[in-house]
Coordinates of all heavy atoms in Angstrom, one line a residue:
M247 N 91.4 106.5 96.4 CA 91.4 105.2 96.9 C 91.8 104.2 95.8 O 91.7 104.4 94.7 CB 89.9 104.8 97.3 CG 89.0 104.2 96.3 SD 87.8 105.2 95.5 CE 87.9 106.9 95.8
T248 N 92.4 103.1 96.2 CA 92.8 102.1 95.3 C 92.1 100.8 95.7 O 92.0 100.4 96.8 CB 94.4 101.8 95.5 OG1 95.0 103.1 95.2 CG2 94.8 100.9 94.5
R249 N 91.8 100.0 94.7 CA 91.0 98.7 94.9 C 91.7 97.7 94.1 O 92.1 97.8 93.0 CB 89.6 98.9 94.4 CG 88.7 98.1 95.0 CD 87.2 98.3 94.6 NE 86.8 99.8 95.0 CZ 86.6 100.6 94.1 NH1 86.6 100.4 92.9 NH2 86.3 101.9 94.4
L250 N 92.1 96.6 94.9 CA 92.7 95.5 94.2 C 91.7 94.7 93.5 O 90.8 94.1 94.1 CB 93.5 94.6 95.2 CG 94.3 93.4 94.6 CD1 95.3 93.8 93.6 CD2 94.8 92.7 95.8
V251 N 91.7 94.5 92.2 CA 90.6 93.9 91.5 C 91.3 92.8 90.6 O 92.3 93.0 89.9 CB 89.8 94.9 90.5 CG1 88.8 94.1 89.7 CG2 89.3 95.9 91.3
E252 N 90.9 91.5 90.8 CA 91.4 90.4 90.1 C 90.4 90.0 89.0 O 89.2 89.7 89.4 CB 91.8 89.3 91.0 CG 93.0 89.7 92.0 CD 93.4 88.5 92.8 OE1 93.1 87.3 92.4 OE2 93.9 88.7 93.8
L253 N 90.6 90.0 87.8 CA 89.7 89.6 86.8 C 90.3 88.5 85.9 O 91.5 88.3 85.9 CB 89.4 90.8 85.9 CG 88.9 92.1 86.5 CD1 88.8 93.2 85.5 CD2 87.6 91.8 87.1
E254 N 89.5 87.6 85.5 CA 89.9 86.4 84.8 C 89.8 86.6 83.2 O 90.4 85.9 82.6 CB 89.2 85.2 85.1 CG 89.4 84.8 86.7 CD 88.6 83.6 87.1 OE1 87.9 83.0 86.3 OE2 88.8 83.2 88.3
A255 N 89.0 87.6 82.8 CA 88.8 87.8 81.4 C 90.0 88.3 80.7 O 90.8 89.1 81.5 CB 87.7 88.7 81.1
N256 N 90.3 88.1 79.6 CA 91.5 88.7 78.8 C 91.1 89.4 77.7 O 92.0 89.6 76.7 CB 92.5 87.5 78.5 CG 91.9 86.5 77.7 OD1 90.7 86.5 77.1 ND2 92.7 85.4 77.3
G257 N 90.0 90.0 77.5 CA 89.6 90.7 76.5 C 88.4 91.5 76.8 O 87.7 91.4 77.8
P258 N 88.0 92.4 75.9 CA 86.9 93.4 76.2 C 85.6 92.7 76.0 O 85.5 91.6 75.3 CB 87.0 94.4 75.2 CG 87.6 93.9 74.1 CD 88.7 92.8 74.7
R259 N 84.5 93.3 76.5 CA 83.2 92.8 76.3 C 82.4 93.7 75.4 O 82.3 94.8 75.7 CB 82.4 92.7 77.7 CG 80.9 92.5 77.6 CD 80.6 91.1 77.2 NE 79.1 91.0 77.3 CZ 78.4 90.0 76.9 NH1 79.0 88.9 76.3 NH2 77.1 90.0 77.0
K260 N 82.0 93.3 74.2 CA 81.4 94.1 73.3 C 79.9 93.9 73.5 O 79.3 92.7 73.6 CB 81.8 93.6 71.9 CG 81.0 94.5 70.9 CD 81.4 94.1 69.4 CE 80.6 94.8 68.4 NZ 80.9 94.3 67.1
L261 N 79.2 95.0 73.8 CA 77.8 95.0 74.0 C 77.0 95.0 72.7 O 77.5 95.7 71.8 CB 77.4 96.1 74.9 CG 78.0 96.3 76.2 CD1 77.6 97.4 77.0 CD2 77.7 95.0 77.1
D262 N 75.9 94.3 72.6 CA 75.1 94.3 71.5 C 73.6 94.4 71.8 O 73.4 94.4 73.1 CB 75.4 93.2 70.5 CG 75.2 91.8 71.2 OD1 74.0 91.7 71.9 OD2 76.0 91.0 71.1
P263 N 72.8 94.7 70.9 CA 71.3 94.9 71.3 C 70.8 93.8 72.1 O 69.9 94.0 73.0 CB 70.6 94.9 69.9 CG 71.7 95.4 69.0 CD 73.0 94.9 69.5
S264 N 71.2 92.5 72.0 CA 70.6 91.4 72.9 C 71.1 91.5 74.4 O 70.6 91.0 75.2 CB 71.2 90.0 72.3 OG 72.7 90.0 72.6
D265 N 72.0 92.5 74.7 CA 72.5 92.7 76.0 C 71.5 93.7 76.8 O 71.6 93.8 78.0 CB 73.9 93.3 76.1 CG 75.0 92.4 75.7 OD1 74.8 91.1 76.0 OD2 75.9 92.7 74.9
I266 N 70.7 94.3 76.1 CA 69.6 95.2 76.7 C 68.6 94.5 77.6 O 68.0 93.6 76.9 CB 68.9 96.2 75.7 CG1 70.1 97.0 75.1 CG2 67.9 97.0 76.3 CD1 69.7 97.9 73.9
D267 N 68.5 94.7 78.9 CA 67.5 94.0 79.7 C 66.1 94.7 79.4 O 65.8 95.8 79.5 CB 67.9 94.3 81.1 CG 67.1 93.6 82.1 OD1 65.8 93.7 82.1 OD2 67.6 92.8 82.8
D268 N 65.2 93.8 79.0 CA 63.8 94.2 78.7 C 63.1 94.8 79.8 O 62.4 95.8 79.6 CB 63.0 92.9 78.2 CG 63.4 92.3 77.0 OD1 64.0 93.2 76.1 OD2 63.1 91.2 76.7
E269 N 63.5 94.5 81.1 CA 62.8 95.2 82.2 C 63.6 96.4 82.6 O 62.8 97.4 82.8 CB 62.8 94.2 83.5 CG 61.9 93.1 83.2 CD 62.0 92.1 84.5 OE1 62.4 92.5 85.6 OE2 61.7 91.0 84.2
K270 N 64.9 96.4 82.7 CA 65.6 97.6 83.1 C 65.8 98.6 82.0 O 66.1 99.7 82.2 CB 67.0 97.1 83.6 CG 67.0 96.3 84.8 CD 68.3 95.9 85.3 CE 68.3 94.8 86.4 NZ 69.6 94.5 86.7
G271 N 65.9 98.1 80.7 CA 66.1 99.0 79.5 C 67.4 99.2 79.3 O 68.0 98.7 78.2
D272 N 68.3 99.8 80.1 CA 69.8 100.2 79.8 C 70.6 99.1 80.4 O 70.2 98.2 81.1 CB 70.1 101.5 80.2 CG 70.0 101.6 81.8 OD1 69.4 100.8 82.5 OD2 70.4 102.7 82.3
V273 N 71.9 99.2 79.9 CA 72.8 98.3 80.4 C 74.0 99.1 80.9 O 74.5 100.0 80.3 CB 73.4 97.3 79.3 CG1 74.4 96.5 79.7 CG2 72.2 96.4 78.8
A274 N 74.5 98.8 82.2 CA 75.7 99.5 82.7 C 76.7 98.4 82.9 O 76.6 97.3 83.4 CB 75.3 100.0 84.1
V275 N 77.9 98.7 82.5 CA 79.0 97.8 82.5 C 79.8 98.2 83.9 O 80.1 99.3 84.2 CB 80.1 98.1 81.3 CG1 81.3 97.1 81.5 CG2 79.3 97.8 80.0
C276 N 80.2 97.2 84.6 CA 80.8 97.3 85.9 C 82.2 97.9 85.6 O 83.0 97.4 84.8 CB 81.1 96.0 86.5 SG 82.1 96.0 88.1
Q277 N 82.6 98.9 86.5 CA 84.0 99.5 86.4 C 84.6 99.3 87.9 O 85.8 99.7 88.0 CB 83.9 101.0 86.1 CG 83.4 101.1 84.7 CD 83.5 102.6 84.3 OE1 84.6 102.9 83.7 NE2 82.5 103.4 84.5
C278 N 83.9 98.8 88.8 CA 84.5 98.7 90.2 C 85.2 97.3 90.3 O 86.0 97.1 91.3 CB 83.6 99.0 91.3 SG 82.3 97.7 91.5
G279 N 84.8 96.3 89.7 CA 85.2 94.9 89.8 C 84.5 94.1 90.7 O 84.9 93.0 91.2
L280 N 83.5 94.7 91.5 CA 82.8 94.0 92.5 C 81.5 93.2 92.1 O 81.0 92.4 92.9 CB 82.6 94.9 93.7 CG 83.7 95.5 94.3 CD1 83.3 96.6 95.3 CD2 84.6 94.4 95.0
S281 N 80.9 93.5 90.9 CA 79.7 93.0 90.5 C 79.7 91.4 90.5 O 80.5 90.7 90.0 CB 79.4 93.5 89.2 OG 78.2 93.0 88.7
A282 N 78.6 90.9 91.1 CA 78.4 89.4 90.8 C 77.9 89.0 89.5 O 77.9 87.8 89.2 CB 77.3 88.9 92.0
E283 N 77.6 90.1 88.7 CA 77.0 89.9 87.4 C 77.9 90.4 86.4 O 77.6 90.8 85.3 CB 75.7 90.5 87.3 CG 74.6 90.0 88.1 CD 73.2 90.8 88.0 OE1 73.0 91.4 87.0 OE2 72.5 90.7 89.0
F284 N 79.3 90.5 86.8 CA 80.3 91.0 85.9 C 80.3 90.4 84.5 O 80.0 89.1 84.5 CB 81.6 90.7 86.6 CG 82.8 91.6 85.9 CD1 83.0 92.9 86.2 CD2 83.5 91.1 84.8 CE1 84.0 93.6 85.6 CE2 84.5 91.7 84.2 CZ 84.7 93.1 84.6
P285 N 80.3 91.1 83.4 CA 80.8 92.5 83.3 C 79.6 93.5 83.5 O 79.9 94.7 83.3 CB 81.3 92.5 81.9 CG 80.4 91.6 81.2 CD 80.0 90.5 82.1
F286 N 78.5 93.2 84.0 CA 77.4 94.0 84.1 C 77.4 94.5 85.5 O 77.6 93.8 86.4 CB 76.1 93.5 83.7 CG 76.1 92.9 82.3 CD1 76.2 91.6 81.9 CD2 76.2 94.0 81.1 CE1 76.2 91.3 80.7 CE2 76.3 93.5 79.9 CZ 76.3 92.1 79.6
C287 N 77.0 95.8 85.7 CA 76.8 96.3 87.0 C 75.7 95.8 87.7 O 74.5 95.7 87.1 CB 76.7 97.9 86.8 SG 76.4 98.8 88.4
D288 N 75.7 95.5 89.0 CA 74.6 95.0 89.9 C 74.4 96.0 91.0 O 73.7 95.6 92.0 CB 74.7 93.6 90.3 CG 75.9 93.4 91.3 OD1 76.7 94.5 91.6 OD2 76.1 92.3 91.7
G289 N 75.1 97.1 91.0 CA 75.0 98.1 92.0 C 76.0 97.9 93.2 O 76.0 98.7 94.2
S290 N 76.9 96.9 93.2 CA 77.9 96.6 94.2 C 78.8 97.7 94.5 O 79.3 97.9 95.6 CB 78.7 95.3 93.8 OG 77.9 94.2 93.8
H291 N 78.9 98.6 93.6 CA 79.9 99.8 93.7 C 79.2 100.7 94.9 O 80.1 101.5 95.4 CB 79.9 100.7 92.4 CG 78.6 101.2 92.0 ND1 77.8 100.5 91.2 CD2 78.0 102.3 92.2 CE1 76.7 101.1 90.9 NE2 76.7 102.3 91.5
R292 N 78.2 100.6 95.2 CA 77.5 101.4 96.4 C 78.3 101.2 97.7 O 78.5 102.1 98.5 CB 76.1 101.2 96.5 CG 75.2 101.6 95.4 CD 73.7 101.4 95.7 NE 72.9 101.8 94.5 CZ 72.5 101.0 93.6 NH1 72.6 99.6 93.8 NH2 71.8 101.4 92.6
Q293 N 78.9 99.9 97.9 CA 79.6 99.7 99.1 C 81.0 100.4 99.1 O 81.7 100.4 100.2 CB 79.7 98.2 99.4 CG 80.5 97.5 98.4 CD 80.5 95.9 98.5 OE1 80.7 95.5 99.6 NE2 80.1 95.3 97.4
T294 N 81.3 101.1 98.0 CA 82.7 101.7 97.9 C 82.5 103.2 98.3 O 83.6 103.9 98.3 CB 83.3 101.5 96.6 OG1 82.6 102.3 95.7 CG2 83.4 100.1 96.2
A295 N 81.3 103.7 98.5 CA 81.0 105.1 98.7 C 81.9 105.9 99.8 O 82.2 106.9 99.6 CB 79.6 105.4 98.8
D296 N 82.1 105.1 100.8 CA 83.0 105.7 101.9 C 84.3 105.4 101.9 O 85.1 105.5 103.1 CB 82.2 105.3 103.2 CG 82.2 103.9 103.6 OD1 82.4 103.0 102.7 OD2 82.0 103.5 104.7
E297 N 84.9 104.8 100.9 CA 86.3 104.6 100.8 C 87.1 105.8 101.0 O 86.7 106.9 100.5 CB 86.7 103.9 99.5 CG 86.2 102.5 99.3 CD 86.6 101.7 98.0 OE1 87.1 102.5 97.1 OE2 86.6 100.6 98.0
E298 N 88.3 105.7 101.6 CA 89.1 107.0 101.9 C 90.2 107.0 100.8 O 90.8 106.1 100.4 CB 89.7 106.9 103.2 CG 88.6 106.8 104.4 CD 89.3 106.8 105.8 OE1 90.5 107.0 106.0 OE2 88.6 106.4 106.6
E299 N 90.4 108.3 100.5 CA 91.6 108.6 99.5 C 92.8 108.0 100.0 O 93.1 108.2 101.2 CB 91.6 110.1 99.3 CG 92.5 110.5 98.1 CD 92.0 110.0 96.7 OE1 90.8 110.0 96.6 OE2 92.8 109.7 96.0
G300 N 93.7 107.3 99.2 CA 94.9 106.9 99.6 C 94.9 105.6 100.2 O 96.0 105.0 100.5
A301 N 93.7 105.0 100.5 CA 93.6 103.7 101.2 C 93.4 102.6 100.1 O 93.0 102.9 99.0 CB 92.5 103.6 102.1
T302 N 94.0 101.4 100.4 CA 93.9 100.3 99.4 C 92.9 99.3 100.1 O 93.1 98.9 101.3 CB 95.2 99.6 99.2 OG1 95.9 100.6 98.4 CG2 94.9 98.5 98.2
Y303 N 91.9 98.8 99.4 CA 90.9 97.9 99.9 C 90.8 96.6 99.2 O 91.0 96.5 97.9 CB 89.5 98.6 99.9 CG 89.4 99.8 100.6 CD1 89.6 101.1 100.0 CD2 89.0 99.8 102.0 CE1 89.4 102.2 100.7 CE2 88.9 101.0 102.7 CZ 89.1 102.2 102.1 OH 89.0 103.3 102.8
V304 N 90.6 95.6 99.9 CA 90.3 94.2 99.4 C 88.9 93.8 99.9 O 88.6 93.9 101.2 CB 91.4 93.3 99.9 CG1 91.1 91.8 99.4 CG2 92.8 93.6 99.5
Y305 N 88.1 93.3 99.0 CA 86.8 92.9 99.4 C 86.7 91.3 99.3 O 87.2 90.8 98.2 CB 85.8 93.5 98.4 CG 85.5 94.9 98.5 CD1 86.3 95.9 98.1 CD2 84.4 95.4 99.3 CE1 86.2 97.2 98.3 CE2 84.2 96.6 99.5 CZ 85.0 97.6 99.0 OH 84.9 99.1 99.2
D306 N 86.1 90.6 100.2 CA 86.0 89.2 100.1 C 84.8 88.9 99.3 O 83.9 89.7 99.0 CB 86.1 88.6 101.5 CG 85.1 88.8 102.4 OD1 83.9 89.3 101.9 OD2 85.2 88.6 103.6
D307 N 84.5 87.6 99.1 CA 83.4 87.1 98.5 C 81.9 87.5 99.2 O 80.9 87.6 98.5 CB 83.4 85.6 98.3 CG 84.4 85.2 97.4 OD1 84.9 86.0 96.5 OD2 84.9 84.0 97.4
D308 N 81.9 87.8 100.4 CA 80.7 88.2 101.1 C 80.6 89.7 101.2 O 79.6 90.3 101.9 CB 80.8 87.7 102.5 CG 80.8 86.2 102.8 OD1 80.3 85.5 101.9 OD2 81.6 85.6 103.7
G309 N 81.6 90.4 100.4 CA 81.4 92.0 100.4 C 82.0 92.6 101.7 O 82.0 93.7 101.8
E310 N 82.6 91.8 102.5 CA 83.4 92.3 103.6 C 84.7 93.0 103.2 O 85.3 92.5 102.3 CB 83.7 91.3 104.7 CG 82.6 90.7 105.4 CD 81.9 91.7 106.3 OE1 82.5 92.5 107.0 OE2 80.6 91.7 106.3
R311 N 84.9 94.1 103.7 CA 86.1 95.1 103.2 C 87.1 95.0 104.3 O 86.9 95.2 105.5 CB 85.6 96.3 102.9 CG 86.7 97.3 102.6 CD 86.1 98.6 102.1 NE 85.4 99.4 103.2 CZ 84.7 100.5 103.1 NH1 84.4 101.0 102.0 NH2 84.2 101.1 104.1
S312 N 88.4 95.0 103.8 CA 89.6 95.0 104.6 C 90.5 96.1 103.9 O 90.5 96.2 102.7 CB 90.3 93.8 104.8 OG 89.4 92.8 105.3
T313 N 91.3 96.8 104.8 CA 92.4 97.6 104.2 C 93.8 96.8 104.3 O 94.0 96.0 105.1 CB 92.4 99.0 105.0 OG1 92.9 98.6 106.3 CG2 91.3 99.8 104.8
V314 N 94.6 97.2 103.3 CA 95.9 96.6 103.3 C 96.9 97.7 103.3 O 96.7 98.8 102.7 CB 96.1 95.6 102.1 CG1 95.2 94.5 102.1 CG2 95.8 96.3 100.7
D315 N 98.1 97.3 103.9 CA 99.2 98.3 103.9 C 99.8 98.6 102.6 O 100.2 99.6 102.1 CB 100.2 98.1 104.9 CG 99.6 98.1 106.3 OD1 98.8 99.0 106.6 OD2 100.0 97.3 107.2
R316 N 100.0 97.5 101.9 CA 100.7 97.5 100.6 C 100.4 96.2 99.8 O 100.1 95.2 100.4 CB 102.2 97.8 100.7 CG 103.0 96.6 101.3 CD 104.4 97.0 101.6 NE 105.0 95.8 102.2 CZ 106.3 95.4 101.8 NH1 107.0 96.1 101.0 NH2 106.7 94.4 102.3
V317 N 100.6 96.3 98.5 CA 100.4 95.3 97.6 C 101.7 95.1 96.9 O 102.3 96.0 96.3 CB 99.1 95.5 96.5 CG1 99.2 94.3 95.6 CG2 98.0 95.7 97.3
V318 N 102.3 94.0 96.9 CA 103.5 93.6 96.4 C 103.3 92.6 95.1 O 102.7 91.6 95.3 CB 104.5 93.0 97.3 CG1 105.8 92.6 96.6 CG2 104.8 93.8 98.5
T319 N 103.7 93.2 94.1 CA 103.7 92.2 92.8 C 105.1 92.0 92.3 O 106.0 92.8 92.6 CB 102.9 92.9 91.6 OG1 103.5 94.2 91.4 CG2 101.5 93.2 92.1
R320 N 105.2 90.8 91.7 CA 106.5 90.4 91.2 C 106.4 90.0 89.7 O 105.6 89.0 89.4 CB 106.9 89.2 92.0 CG 108.3 88.8 91.7 CD 108.8 87.7 92.6 NE 108.2 87.8 93.9 CZ 108.2 86.9 94.8 NH1 108.7 85.7 94.5 NH2 107.6 86.9 96.0
E321 N 107.0 90.8 88.9 CA 107.0 90.5 87.5 C 107.5 89.1 87.1 O 108.6 88.8 87.6 CB 107.8 91.6 86.7 CG 107.5 91.4 85.3 CD 108.2 92.6 84.4 OE1 108.2 93.7 84.9 OE2 108.7 92.4 83.4
G322 N 106.7 88.3 86.4 CA 107.1 87.0 86.0 C 106.9 86.0 87.1 O 107.1 84.7 86.8
G323 N 106.4 86.4 88.3 CA 106.2 85.4 89.2 C 104.8 84.8 89.2 O 103.9 85.3 88.3
T324 N 104.6 83.7 89.9 CA 103.1 83.1 89.8 C 102.1 83.7 90.7 O 101.0 83.4 90.5 CB 103.3 81.7 90.3 OG1 103.7 81.6 91.7 CG2 104.2 80.9 89.4
G325 N 102.5 84.6 91.6 CA 101.5 85.3 92.4 C 101.1 84.5 93.6 O 100.4 85.0 94.4
N326 N 101.7 83.3 93.8 CA 101.4 82.4 94.9 C 102.5 82.2 95.8 O 102.6 81.3 96.6 CB 100.7 81.2 94.5 CG 101.6 80.3 93.7 OD1 102.8 80.5 93.5 ND2 101.0 79.2 93.2
G327 N 103.7 83.0 95.7 CA 104.8 82.8 96.5 C 105.9 81.9 95.9 O 106.9 81.6 96.5
E328 N 105.5 81.2 94.9 CA 106.4 80.2 94.3 C 107.1 80.8 93.1 O 106.5 81.8 92.4 CB 105.7 79.0 93.8 CG 105.1 78.3 94.9 CD 104.2 77.1 94.5 OE1 104.3 76.8 93.2 OE2 103.4 76.4 95.3
E329 N 108.3 80.5 92.8 CA 109.1 81.0 91.6 C 109.1 80.0 90.6 O 109.3 78.9 90.7 CB 110.4 81.4 92.0 CG 110.4 82.7 92.9 CD 109.9 83.9 92.2 OE1 110.2 84.1 91.0 OE2 109.3 84.7 92.9

């Protein structure tokens, strides 16, 4: 499966001891791009469990999932259809 993930950060997140949650203990870093607590995991990846191999999915802000036929990117473009 392929997931289209748009992120605004431009660098890594370095974890330090202050990132450890006193109640949860450990810290998990999000790798699916869906977490509302990004860069930390909030369990949102569970909604991807039934994704099909070879399909591309887009998730909206409400967690609703749609499939797309293809994703077209343009090097040097603005991404909004303008040049």
Side-chain angles (χ1 to χ4, degrees):
M247 90 259 12
T248 303
R249 209 171 299 113
L250 179 61
V251 178
E252 295 181 23
L253 304 175
E254 296 178 2
N256 59 4
R259 167 75 176 171
K260 181 179 177 185
L261 300 180
D262 57 49
S264 67
D265 292 320
I266 295 176
D267 187 301
D268 290 335
E269 292 179 24
K270 296 179 185 175
D272 62 349
V273 174
V275 176
C276 174
Q277 294 188 92
C278 74
L280 298 174
S281 177
E283 299 177 21
F284 193 83
F286 303 106
C287 176
D288 68 358
S290 293
H291 60 274
R292 291 182 185 103
Q293 63 188 309
T294 69
D296 63 345
E297 288 183 343
E298 296 180 19
E299 187 68 34
T302 300
Y303 298 94
V304 175
Y305 290 80
D306 67 20
D307 291 337
D308 296 326
E310 293 294 318
R311 175 174 69 192
S312 302
T313 57
V314 294
D315 292 325
R316 64 185 182 140
V317 175
V318 178
T319 59
R320 189 175 322 165
E321 189 173 324
T324 61
N326 62 6
E328 299 176 5
E329 291 294 326

